[in-house]
Amino acid sequence: AASSRPKLGSHFALELVRDRKVLRRSARCITMKVLSACVLASAAAFLGMRAPLPVKTPRVVKAPAVAMSSALAEESGVSLSSGGGMFTTSSPEDRRIGTELYQAAKADPGGARAPLKVVYVVLESQYQSSMSAAVKAINENENSGVACECVGYLLEELRDPANAAAFKKDVEEANVFIGSLIFVQELAEQVQAVVEAERDRLDAVLIFPSMPEVMRLNKVGGFTMASLGQSKSVVSEFMKKKKADDGSSFEEAMLKLLRTLPKVLKYLPGDKAKDAKSFMMSFQYWLGGSPENLQSMLLSLATTYVPAVVEKADMASLDQEGLIAEPVLLPDKGIWHPLGPEVYQTAEEYFQWYETEHAPAAGLAEDAPVVGVVLQKSHINTGDAGHYVSLISELEARGAKVVCIYSGGLDFSGPVKEYFFRQGGVAVDSVINLTGFALVGGPASQDHPKAVDTLKSLGVPYLCAVPLVFQSFQEWEASELGLHPVQVALQVSLPELDGAIEPIIYAGREGATGKSVPLDDRISTLAQRALKWGSLKRKENKDKKLAITIFSFPPDKGNVGTAAYLDVFGSILAVAKELKGRGYDLGDVDPSQMEAEDLMDMVLNDKEAKFDSPTLNVVHRMTMEEYERLCPYQDDLHENWGPPPGHLNSDGQNLLVFGAKFGNVFIGVQPSFGYEGDPMRLLFSKSASPHHGFAAYYTYLESVFDADAVLHFGTHGSLEFMPGKQVGMSGECYPDRLAGTIPNLYYYAANNPSEATIAKRRSYAATISYLTPPAENAGLYKGLKELSELVSSYQGLRENEARGPSIVNSIIAAAYSCNLDKDVKNLPDVEFDSKEVDLERRDTIVGMVYQRLMEIESRLLPMGLHTVGVPPTAEEAIATLVSIAEIDRPEDEILGLPRILANAEGRKLEEIYRNANEGVLQDVELLQKITQGTRAAVRALVQESTDSQGRVKEVQNVMEKALGGMFGQAPYRKALASQGFAKASEDKMLEPLFEYLEFCLRQVVADNELGALVDALDGQYIEPGPGGDPIRNPGVLPTGKNMHALDPQSIPTTAAVECANRVVEKLLERLEKDNGELPESVAFTLWGTDNIKTYGESLAQVLGLVGVRPVPDALGRVNKLELIPLEELGRPRIDVVVSCSGVFRDLFINQMNLLDRAVKLAAEADEPDDQNYVRKHAKEQAKELGMSVREAATRVFSNAAGSYSANVGLAIENGGWESENQLQEQFVGRKGFAFNADKPGMMTQSTDMFKAALSTVDVTFQNLDSSEISISDVSHYYDSDPTKVVEGLRKDGKKPSSMMADTTTANAQVRSLSETVRLDARTKLLNPKFYEGMLASGYEGTREITKRLRNTMGWSATAGEVDNFVYEDANDTFIKDEAMQKRLLETNPNAFRDMVTTFLEANGRGYWDTDEENVERLQELYQEVEDRIEGIV
């Protein structure tokens, strides 16, 4: 049929039928398969989409004119169900219509009307109004012959048991069931079960794009989709290939083909074709979405497939009344304006109308800024465009022009290129995507690279605003969590991968009618921010005002200019030089003539100043009149802080803004969170508000300095962690209030995507990633180096019976002097004589010591601090590349170099690792040889591309390498041969590995940190990129990207599950070996960044312990679970207590749902208690707490919404805590908010349940996954450690084991916490390479050393796992050494005072036992430093 009617199809259709395999089928078979494939393709593309794929018929209408008004009715009459804790508390009864007439018709079978019951389930409520109007029109028409009852359910409403029961009852009575966009897995299964049970009885089942298992329920006469997605067909495979090859042109061809199909089907014989036509026509009616289209759909179905209606329907009257009409649809794509007379098909046509008619009438200037707006076609179809109209009118009222585009498909890249460009140039200054979805593919099968290419060519800021889908605006407003987790995944996380910024909620759902309602204050905020971003493109650099904001945390301690891994003032100086060169007004200063120290002095006036000291430079004194006039929310701060000015950032009369102005550039100090005045004041509160000084600072930026942009400098400040919703800020949330309307740029460390994502979502930041400092191997020093030399001596003389044993004795003695006896299992005591044992035993002793030494030596540590815009040298890149070279990358078919070398030696790498860990000397030596060979080969690669200045030149391309190969072996192959790996040097697997390493080398030394900043300040699009560990994912590089996390529904990945299971095995093996038995319960801490870097490894570890397997659904999303049978598991199910960081909660609340469901699945399994500790403990706690086993199996906890951390670290940093018990109560109080998958809309304070769960814990466990951040680098790890909390809660008072997994290298390890603390202290705090590297950075470096000492003491407070020698050796290094004392004091007196205080506190609290001489020296030093700071000396 298609080949005989070439005009009906496109080039695509002709190509399809030319395929010889397809031609072997009959025309009818072809058409039916094309139909199924089309529907399947649309289903795959429609994951979570509201905008359906339109099918255009010959009748195309012009756009409806909608009154330009944002005055819409207040939400009223919303029925609330009893489902407490749900995100959606609306009621299906608001969507029930026609019941009385339907019941009357049922009671009177002989009457003029036949009863018809329709039940529909949809993702959101936009069809509610149209469906209700359609049913009302049918029932009001005397000639319809139908008495229709219709009831609609929103998918999320089915979580409520009462709604679920009502849904089941309604389907049991229904004639017709309609479903659309059913994509939430657990709810899809629920719908499937109910409809499947009634499918044979139902007269018709129409499922429009949804999960494949739901779509297989379709039944329209003889037309079904029973095999949908279950087998491959030539047609569907062809379509997939064409889509991959042709992109948006394929989509346009599909639209043409789909609207042709009903015509083709009309001419084919048989009922099946007729039924297929009915389905396709119904699909078109549904896509049309108007009351008239839906009326035609319902009557067409009823008069064809519902016997009672067929019997009574008067088709002649129906035709005469026009109750069944052809589908009426808008054009597939175009430019729409609510006052436009039509949908415009070209930019030229639109601008002709807009600029000659509309703009003059609206009073818009010729040179007005232009905002591009991306719309959802289905909202225009259904007449539900009030929220669009509101934003358009707001933008125009503020003097901006608009270009509003829509697409019928899911790929907006074509319309963007077609309509946002004009005469070869870009026609818009900024773009707002109002669909809330990814630009290409929506949330189903996104093509982010294509979206990024499109947006780069456009080159303007790209905002993606979010309409509420599952919640009414009242529900969202009342929710502490904010935006529904499904929406966060689909409409926040995925657009971020395109480079979208500013996920501002701009519209809600009116509960009674389901209509979209604009949120006036959000519309205003969105419009202002979009225009501010656009103004950066138009303004000249000399006129732009930039507010650079630096941080001070913790305050009062020489910490002004705090940022992770960053030389803040050196970096600001680099930025200032770049800005000066580009014409920005920096006043009288010339950055090229300044040092970082000069800049610091000018900003701080006195870098040794206390934070609130008047010696800090004050740029503005804000009077109370000015503050109260300019800060609209200041009244709300009185509850926490009293009336202004208060005592923070105040001189008693005015609020003080600290910093300095340089022309149009202001460098200001963000005020502290407010804890320092009274450290314990707010620690126990769920959250806090900013103090008046904090509010005054941001009020100054917005209303006094009048900044065009703010640049938050480094990781991280306090703005994004201020109280408010998790995601989807309201106007009452403090991050939103403080951010105001100023574009927010934010330099963020590339290895911290999770907190960067919080900044993006809560404070509307466009992040710019910066590199962490280059890493080096820790090396060995002092006694450790001497011990290593003894081991080398033994290797040469091991068989010498005279010398060998005496060297072993010396090794044992040296190991004790280095305190390695705690780490080397079964190390003989110092009295031991090695002459009394054989060679094998001596080898084992030396092997164990050697293994520990190599562990220390090879540990990576960041060296110094990074300066923005300064890429690493070639030498500095080597250690990072070595780590990259060590990892297997099966997805790229790349073997890691250690595995290649082990294979060449005829050994398995895992066996070498295992034996080395056990101290088998030969394998310790072989592993060291492999390590040295890897380093040598990588160094050879890098040196080949290094110039005389030590910088990487352009790496040789493939052709140059091929020519070079003609004259000899590649340098890396030579290096391997020289290291004793001759066979490996010929291995063919080296080539793909070293090609990959060359690519990585380019990325490591590339840099766009300054380039991205100046582009952003020019109002350009910042290219997005992933954050994380550059070793695991070199795609993090080069830096200077708008950083994003990942699709939260993609984790844990299969590879992450495999890695997690290996770690779980090692953990249980170690615990059984240490304790003689398996643990019954393990307490976990889950971190956001760690799970981004590892793609969910620690998440998968929790599932692995419980014995539950994550399973992807039909669309590849990880949201299904299955219980691993005990026989397969081979051990009992281990109970877990999961403490999620606040950031993890914000980013991965869907995964919290997964974890909670997994634990409940295990708890409800009918298994013996001794084989299922989850069930055992849940039963005990159910009895104790008087609740069901399911409720008692609550194991997933975090902070309250909008609250972060246990604040234990904050208390320790401020020193204001009185006892460990105080810290423990604080931990339980702040982290004891439970997540319940049965009531996913809230975090419930469940302190008793948290304590009950913790009281059974045998082991506390955390993960280290990156060499850049270890347990003494940040306070987060000990802040969330519950070791002593558990000890206090256990009935037997026993301290749990504390374990840490280390997956920073390919040789994953599980160590005790005390082993990890010792390893970290030896490689960082006590290591000259580390502290000398830090001291070279000056002021900031001294602070970094002190921070490690303070964080080490944190582990004493929370876990009691710090050995005395760590404090003693640190004291010897930094305090006893007078030269070192002097260096620290002169570099940063405040930080040195904090170091002295930490030593005294450690001693006073009983963590460090030392002699009186040390204590007295510290006390004298404290007074001396205090006098120096106060200016007495």
Side-chain angles (χ1 to χ4, degrees):
S3 59
S4 66
R5 294 169 60 86
K7 291 180 182 178
L8 296 180
S10 62
H11 170 73
F12 162 75
L14 293 173
E15 190 175 343
L16 175 62
V17 298
R18 287 192 193 111
D19 187 289
R20 284 178 297 178
K21 292 180 183 175
V22 179
L23 281 172
R24 290 205 272 277
R25 291 161 170 77
S26 68
R28 182 167 60 179
C29 180
I30 292 171
T31 310
M32 296 307 295
K33 285 191 175 292
V34 168
L35 169 61
S36 293
C38 288
V39 174
L40 178 58
S42 65
F46 269 77
L47 170 58
M49 282 299 294
R50 300 172 305 157
L53 190 65
V55 182
K56 193 170 161 190
T57 62
R59 188 174 171 206
V60 178
V61 298
K62 294 183 177 182
V66 182
M68 183 75 82
S69 170
S70 62
L72 293 161
E74 292 281 322
E75 181 173 28
S76 59
V78 181
S79 301
L80 298 179
S81 72
S82 59
M86 304 296 173
F87 273 90
T88 304
T89 55
S90 56
S91 171
E93 294 306 309
D94 291 329
R95 275 166 251 108
R96 191 180 295 275
I97 187 169
T99 304
E100 192 175 327
L101 190 66
Y102 169 75
Q103 293 294 348
K106 277 186 72 176
D108 181 15
R113 291 179 181 260
L116 170 68
K117 182 160 184 173
V118 178
V119 178
Y120 66 95
V121 175
V122 289
L123 184 70
E124 63 157 315
S125 63
Q126 78 184 85
Y127 276 86
Q128 176 180 339
S129 180
S130 290
M131 188 66 97
S132 297
V135 171
K136 190 176 179 183
I138 290 170
N139 287 342
E140 286 177 350
N141 193 303
E142 295 293 335
N143 296 321
S144 71
V146 174
C148 183
E149 179 187 27
C150 180
V151 60
Y153 289 81
L154 302 185
L155 193 57
E156 281 293 314
E157 289 172 347
L158 297 179
R159 292 190 190 276
D160 186 323
N163 287 340
F167 170 63
K168 185 172 185 294
K169 184 173 184 294
D170 278 326
V171 173
E172 286 169 352
E173 299 170 354
N175 301 99
V176 176
F177 176 79
I178 302 169
S180 179
L181 305 182
I182 300 171
F183 283 110
V184 180
Q185 180 65 41
E186 61 268 31
L187 299 177
E189 292 169 1
Q190 195 174 329
V191 171
Q192 180 189 7
V194 170
V195 177
E196 198 164 40
E198 298 295 321
R199 182 175 181 272
D200 291 342
R201 184 196 59 76
L202 284 160
D203 297 315
V205 177
L206 290 99
I207 310 291
F208 303 125
S210 295
M211 298 290 287
E213 57 264 42
V214 185
M215 291 197 70
R216 286 194 283 271
L217 297 171
N218 263 302
K219 184 185 85 168
V220 181
F223 173 78
T224 73
M225 295 187 185
S227 61
L228 184 69
Q230 294 189 322
S231 61
K232 291 185 178 181
S233 74
V234 174
V235 175
S236 61
E237 291 302 303
F238 178 87
M239 286 183 164
K240 286 179 188 173
K241 182 177 185 301
K242 291 302 295 177
K243 183 173 184 183
D245 292 345
D246 301 341
S248 59
S249 62
F250 165 84
E251 190 171 82
E252 291 170 14
M254 282 288 291
L255 296 178
K256 293 176 184 176
L257 186 63
L258 277 167
R259 66 172 176 262
T260 299
L261 278 170
K263 297 180 182 180
V264 175
L265 292 165
K266 184 165 63 174
Y267 295 107
L268 292 179
D271 291 339
K272 203 165 185 178
K274 181 195 78 170
D275 296 334
K277 175 177 182 274
S278 293
F279 176 83
M280 288 307 297
M281 291 299 287
S282 297
F283 194 13
Q284 292 186 47
Y285 285 129
W286 184 258
L287 299 176
S290 66
E292 295 77 14
N293 279 319
L294 296 184
Q295 172 186 296
S296 296
M297 179 188 77
L298 292 176
L299 285 175
S300 177
L301 285 169
T303 56
T304 309
Y305 298 105
V306 181
V309 176
V310 172
E311 184 181 330
K312 295 193 175 181
D314 182 350
M315 295 305 295
S317 295
L318 291 176
D319 288 341
Q320 188 176 350
E321 296 274 349
L323 294 181
I324 303 177
E326 287 289 305
V328 179
L329 299 169
L330 291 174
D332 296 335
K333 61 181 178 178
I335 306 177
W336 176 85
H337 191 284
L339 295 183
E342 62 181 302
V343 172
Y344 294 94
Q345 300 293 288
T346 69
E348 287 70 25
E349 289 176 4
Y350 173 75
F351 281 112
Q352 173 65 26
W353 166 77
Y354 194 88
E355 292 181 344
T356 59
E357 296 183 39
H358 180 71
L364 300 175
E366 279 188 31
D367 62 348
V370 183
V371 179
V373 185
V374 179
L375 307 177
Q376 200 72 60
K377 180 173 181 281
S378 58
H379 279 283
I380 303 169
N381 282 341
T382 57
D384 184 26
H387 52 326
Y388 293 167
V389 174
S390 181
L391 179 68
I392 292 165
S393 91
E394 181 74 22
L395 287 167
E396 292 188 339
R398 291 182 177 277
K401 297 178 181 178
V402 294
V403 187
C404 306
I405 67 169
Y406 70 79
S407 171
L410 304 178
D411 185 347
F412 283 89
S413 62
V416 164
K417 291 176 180 174
E418 194 170 342
Y419 301 136
F420 286 165
F421 287 83
R422 192 176 178 192
Q423 297 172 345
V426 176
V428 295
D429 298 303
S430 58
V431 170
I432 309 173
N433 182 344
L434 293 183
T435 73
F437 288 115
L439 191 73
V440 179
S445 51
Q446 304 82 29
D447 187 341
H448 296 297
K450 182 177 183 181
V452 170
D453 285 345
T454 301
L455 293 167
K456 277 170 66 179
S457 69
L458 193 63
V460 300
Y462 173 61
L463 290 71
C464 193
V466 184
L468 297 171
V469 172
F470 303 117
Q471 302 148 282
S472 69
F473 73 80
Q474 285 181 335
E475 291 163 351
W476 161 74
E477 213 165 36
S479 168
E480 291 182 343
L481 291 175
L483 189 62
H484 192 291
V486 172
Q487 271 201 272
V488 174
L490 300 180
Q491 294 186 289
V492 179
S493 299
L494 294 175
E496 285 172 348
L497 305 184
D498 292 343
I501 55 175
E502 311 222 0
I504 295 171
I505 307 296
Y506 72 97
R509 176 167 56 76
E510 199 278 315
T513 65
K515 286 278 190 180
S516 296
V517 179
L519 307 178
D520 288 345
D521 74 308
R522 304 288 79 209
I523 290 277
S524 174
T525 296
L526 177 60
Q528 288 181 78
R529 292 190 66 82
L531 291 172
K532 277 278 189 89
W533 275 109
S535 71
L536 292 173
K537 181 181 177 183
R538 292 171 167 255
K539 212 166 194 177
E540 290 188 44
N541 287 349
K542 67 181 178 61
D543 298 322
K544 290 176 188 171
K545 291 186 173 183
L546 175 64
I548 296 175
T549 296
I550 60 177
F551 314 121
S552 176
F553 188 84
D556 285 351
K557 296 178 181 175
N559 288 319
V560 176
T562 308
Y565 313 106
L566 193 63
D567 178 349
V568 172
F569 288 103
S571 297
I572 292 176
L573 187 61
V575 167
K577 289 175 182 175
E578 185 74 21
L579 295 179
K580 184 80 172 179
R582 290 176 179 266
Y584 284 76
D585 177 4
L586 269 69
D588 298 330
V589 301
D590 183 357
S592 63
Q593 303 300 313
M594 296 170 65
E595 298 292 331
E597 186 88 6
D598 302 327
L599 181 65
M600 183 164 60
D601 284 340
M602 294 173 78
V603 173
L604 304 184
N605 197 16
D606 178 3
K607 71 183 180 192
E608 298 173 10
K610 279 176 59 179
F611 184 81
D612 274 340
S613 167
T615 56
L616 254 174
N617 196 61
V618 176
V619 76
H620 184 73
R621 285 179 167 80
M622 188 173 286
T623 66
M624 292 309 90
E625 182 279 327
E626 185 180 30
Y627 174 59
E628 289 168 5
R629 174 167 46 85
L630 296 178
C631 183
Y633 52 87
Q634 61 88 20
D635 280 345
D636 296 344
L637 312 185
H638 292 205
E639 182 182 351
N640 271 328
W641 300 99
H647 68 283
L648 297 167
N649 290 69
S650 162
D651 61 7
Q653 293 183 319
N654 306 289
L655 287 163
L656 307 180
V657 178
F658 294 120
K661 269 203 296 189
F662 305 92
N664 283 339
V665 176
F666 166 61
I667 302 175
V669 183
Q670 185 187 71
S672 67
F673 215 111
Y675 291 103
E676 69 284 355
D678 178 0
M680 301 311 296
R681 179 173 175 270
L682 293 170
L683 293 182
F684 291 96
S685 65
K686 190 172 70 174
S687 60
S689 65
H691 56 80
H692 293 292
F694 205 101
Y697 179 82
Y698 282 94
T699 300
Y700 169 79
L701 298 188
E702 175 99 34
S703 303
V704 180
F705 179 64
D706 193 23
D708 292 295
V710 60
L711 170 61
H712 286 96
F713 217 97
T715 307
H716 58 72
S718 304
L719 171 63
E720 61 269 33
F721 295 101
M722 284 293 171
K725 299 181 189 301
Q726 272 181 213
V727 185
M729 301 294 102
S730 75
E732 303 299 305
C733 296
Y734 284 108
D736 181 276
R737 286 173 155 184
L738 293 159
T741 64
I742 311 173
N744 179 10
L745 300 167
Y746 209 141
Y747 270 132
Y748 231 94
N751 68 346
N752 193 349
S754 61
E755 290 182 318
T757 302
I758 301 300
K760 287 163 75 84
R761 296 177 185 178
R762 301 188 87 241
S763 64
Y764 312 136
T767 58
I768 301 171
S769 61
Y770 63 82
L771 202 59
T772 50
E776 286 188 25
N777 296 108
L780 299 172
Y781 54 90
K782 298 179 182 175
L784 294 172
K785 189 172 184 181
E786 292 166 8
L787 183 53
S788 173
E789 289 165 357
L790 284 172
V791 171
S792 297
S793 299
Y794 175 76
Q795 287 171 303
L797 298 167
R798 56 188 286 273
E799 294 182 0
N800 185 321
E801 287 297 326
R803 300 279 306 280
S806 65
I807 295 173
V808 173
N809 291 341
S810 299
I811 287 171
I812 293 169
Y816 273 98
S817 70
C818 293
N819 296 291
L820 278 180
D821 54 301
K822 297 174 177 65
D823 299 295
V824 179
K825 291 186 181 68
N826 304 317
L827 183 70
D829 61 38
V830 287
E831 306 299 325
F832 178 79
D833 188 352
S834 298
K835 288 180 181 177
E836 296 174 4
V837 296
D838 60 14
L839 178 62
E840 185 179 349
R841 173 72 176 124
R842 292 198 294 268
D843 279 356
T844 301
I845 294 168
V846 175
M848 289 299 295
V849 173
Y850 190 21
Q851 189 270 335
R852 289 296 182 186
L853 287 173
M854 291 306 98
E855 185 177 59
I856 296 166
E857 187 277 338
S858 61
R859 193 110 168 136
L860 285 182
L861 63 148
M863 297 301 297
L865 298 170
H866 176 68
T867 301
V868 164
V870 181
T873 64
E875 181 68 25
E876 289 169 340
I878 289 174
T880 300
L881 275 184
V882 167
S883 296
I884 292 172
E886 289 175 342
I887 297 176
D888 294 328
R889 301 178 195 273
E891 67 280 7
D892 297 314
E893 299 182 347
I894 292 171
L895 291 183
L897 191 50
R899 190 172 300 281
I900 294 172
L901 301 184
N903 290 347
E905 298 294 306
R907 297 289 304 280
K908 289 191 173 176
L909 185 60
E910 287 75 18
E911 182 188 28
I912 298 171
Y913 284 150
R914 188 167 55 251
N915 290 347
N917 293 342
E918 293 297 322
V920 177
L921 182 59
Q922 289 79 3
D923 279 353
V924 177
E925 291 172 339
L926 176 56
L927 186 55
Q928 181 63 3
K929 180 183 174 185
I930 288 172
T931 301
Q932 297 298 344
T934 302
R935 291 175 184 174
V938 171
R939 181 175 291 278
L941 171 75
V942 173
Q943 286 177 341
E944 186 182 13
S945 301
T946 304
D947 63 20
S948 57
Q949 278 76 47
R951 292 279 168 191
V952 173
K953 59 188 180 184
E954 182 59 38
V955 180
Q956 287 184 310
N957 63 34
V958 177
M959 182 59 71
E960 288 172 336
K961 284 192 297 177
L963 291 171
M966 295 168 60
F967 303 101
Q969 206 176 29
Y972 64 83
R973 294 184 185 272
K974 289 180 182 176
L976 286 173
S978 71
Q979 292 289 316
F981 292 103
K983 184 178 177 184
S985 69
E986 304 294 331
D987 197 304
K988 65 180 181 181
M989 292 305 295
L990 290 173
E991 192 165 331
L993 170 63
F994 278 84
E995 283 181 4
Y996 183 74
L997 291 176
E998 284 185 2
F999 163 77
C1000 293
L1001 177 58
R1002 290 191 195 97
Q1003 304 308 302
V1004 168
V1005 299
D1007 165 63
N1008 191 37
E1009 293 169 0
L1010 289 174
L1013 173 65
V1014 295
D1015 284 350
L1017 289 172
D1018 284 343
Q1020 295 187 40
Y1021 168 78
I1022 311 172
E1023 186 175 349
D1029 182 359
I1031 291 169
R1032 289 176 184 261
N1033 179 14
V1036 168
L1037 304 169
T1039 45
K1041 294 175 180 173
N1042 184 7
M1043 198 167 25
H1044 58 69
L1046 42 71
D1047 176 0
Q1049 296 185 104
S1050 68
I1051 66 169
T1053 62
T1054 303
V1057 171
E1058 290 172 1
C1059 292
N1061 289 339
R1062 288 196 291 271
V1063 170
V1064 166
E1065 285 173 20
K1066 289 187 176 187
L1067 172 65
L1068 296 180
E1069 187 181 303
R1070 168 74 188 264
L1071 289 168
E1072 194 167 21
K1073 188 175 179 182
D1074 288 357
N1075 304 327
E1077 60 183 0
L1078 289 174
E1080 290 195 8
S1081 180
V1082 177
F1084 261 84
T1085 304
L1086 294 186
W1087 301 101
T1089 289
D1090 294 11
N1091 277 282
I1092 292 171
K1093 290 177 181 176
T1094 65
Y1095 298 94
E1097 280 181 21
S1098 55
L1099 173 68
Q1101 290 165 5
V1102 178
L1103 298 175
L1105 281 172
V1106 173
V1108 172
R1109 183 181 290 120
V1111 180
D1113 65 19
L1115 297 167
R1117 301 170 304 175
V1118 184
N1119 55 24
K1120 295 173 72 174
L1121 298 164
E1122 62 183 31
L1123 206 63
I1124 301 170
L1126 286 171
E1127 303 75 38
E1128 182 184 339
L1129 195 60
R1131 59 165 172 82
R1133 301 189 194 282
I1134 311 296
D1135 199 1
V1136 293
V1137 184
V1138 184
S1139 176
C1140 302
S1141 73
V1143 175
F1144 183 95
R1145 174 206 61 211
D1146 285 4
L1147 300 186
F1148 296 117
I1149 200 160
N1150 290 298
Q1151 277 59 37
M1152 290 171 72
N1153 185 302
L1154 197 73
L1155 291 173
D1156 186 64
R1157 285 164 46 208
V1159 175
K1160 286 177 164 64
L1161 189 63
E1164 292 180 328
D1166 186 10
E1167 295 169 344
D1169 287 358
D1170 65 349
Q1171 291 299 301
N1172 186 335
Y1173 298 135
V1174 185
R1175 182 168 177 77
K1176 174 187 173 183
H1177 296 152
K1179 283 162 61 180
E1180 292 169 355
Q1181 287 151 18
K1183 187 176 179 182
E1184 180 186 333
L1185 298 170
M1187 57 179 62
S1188 69
V1189 169
R1190 186 173 179 83
E1191 285 178 291
T1194 297
R1195 294 290 184 271
V1196 183
F1197 299 89
S1198 185
N1199 295 76
S1203 170
Y1204 300 86
S1205 91
N1207 277 349
V1208 170
L1210 192 60
I1212 287 171
E1213 282 162 355
N1214 281 287
W1217 53 290
E1218 294 174 8
S1219 68
E1220 288 179 0
N1221 185 59
Q1222 187 180 349
L1223 297 179
Q1224 291 157 25
E1225 282 300 314
Q1226 185 177 306
F1227 173 87
V1228 172
R1230 284 184 65 85
K1231 301 299 288 188
F1233 288 78
F1235 179 87
N1236 185 346
D1238 297 333
K1239 296 180 178 181
M1242 59 199 295
M1243 300 290 299
T1244 310
Q1245 186 150 23
S1246 310
T1247 308
D1248 290 344
M1249 200 175 286
F1250 192 34
K1251 286 181 175 180
L1254 287 171
S1255 70
T1256 66
V1257 164
D1258 302 304
V1259 182
T1260 61
F1261 182 71
Q1262 294 200 54
N1263 284 274
L1264 291 174
D1265 61 83
S1266 169
S1267 59
E1268 294 169 319
I1269 304 176
S1270 192
I1271 60 171
S1272 69
D1273 294 328
V1274 292
S1275 61
H1276 303 54
Y1277 288 110
Y1278 73 78
D1279 180 89
S1280 290
D1281 175 67
T1283 302
K1284 286 188 177 179
V1285 175
V1286 171
E1287 182 181 7
L1289 292 172
R1290 281 183 64 103
K1291 293 182 175 71
D1292 59 8
K1294 181 184 172 186
K1295 185 178 177 183
S1297 303
S1298 291
M1299 308 301 292
M1300 305 221 48
D1302 181 346
T1303 58
T1304 58
T1305 66
N1307 183 15
Q1309 301 282 318
V1310 173
R1311 304 186 183 93
S1312 69
L1313 175 57
S1314 58
E1315 288 170 346
T1316 309
V1317 171
R1318 289 192 292 271
L1319 178 61
D1320 204 61
R1322 288 177 177 128
T1323 53
K1324 289 189 176 165
L1325 182 64
L1326 305 176
N1327 186 352
K1329 184 183 273 192
F1330 172 78
Y1331 59 71
E1332 289 295 345
M1334 285 299 172
L1335 283 170
S1337 299
Y1339 170 79
E1340 287 99 339
T1342 304
R1343 180 180 61 226
E1344 291 291 324
I1345 297 167
T1346 298
K1347 183 168 78 173
R1348 265 73 182 182
L1349 179 67
R1350 175 64 69 167
N1351 289 339
T1352 300
M1353 191 187 76
W1355 285 110
S1356 291
T1358 63
E1361 295 289 343
V1362 183
D1363 291 279
N1364 201 68
F1365 85 83
V1366 174
Y1367 293 111
E1368 198 69 30
D1369 287 4
N1371 181 69
D1372 290 347
T1373 301
F1374 301 112
I1375 303 299
K1376 273 191 175 179
D1377 184 332
E1378 291 191 9
M1380 177 61 76
Q1381 258 188 50
K1382 186 178 179 185
R1383 289 172 69 190
L1384 294 167
L1385 180 63
E1386 290 179 352
T1387 311
N1388 191 331
N1390 275 285
F1392 183 58
R1393 177 179 60 180
D1394 189 30
M1395 177 184 284
V1396 173
T1397 304
T1398 303
F1399 277 118
L1400 288 170
E1401 191 176 345
N1403 175 255
R1405 294 187 186 276
Y1407 302 146
W1408 174 36
D1409 183 19
T1410 191
D1411 57 46
E1412 282 302 313
E1413 184 183 344
N1414 281 335
V1415 176
E1416 288 171 8
R1417 181 188 298 108
L1418 286 162
Q1419 289 169 340
E1420 290 168 7
L1421 260 178
Y1422 180 83
Q1423 192 57 53
E1424 183 183 326
V1425 179
E1426 189 77 8
D1427 291 347
R1428 167 78 177 267
I1429 291 172
E1430 296 298 327
I1432 297 170
V1433 178

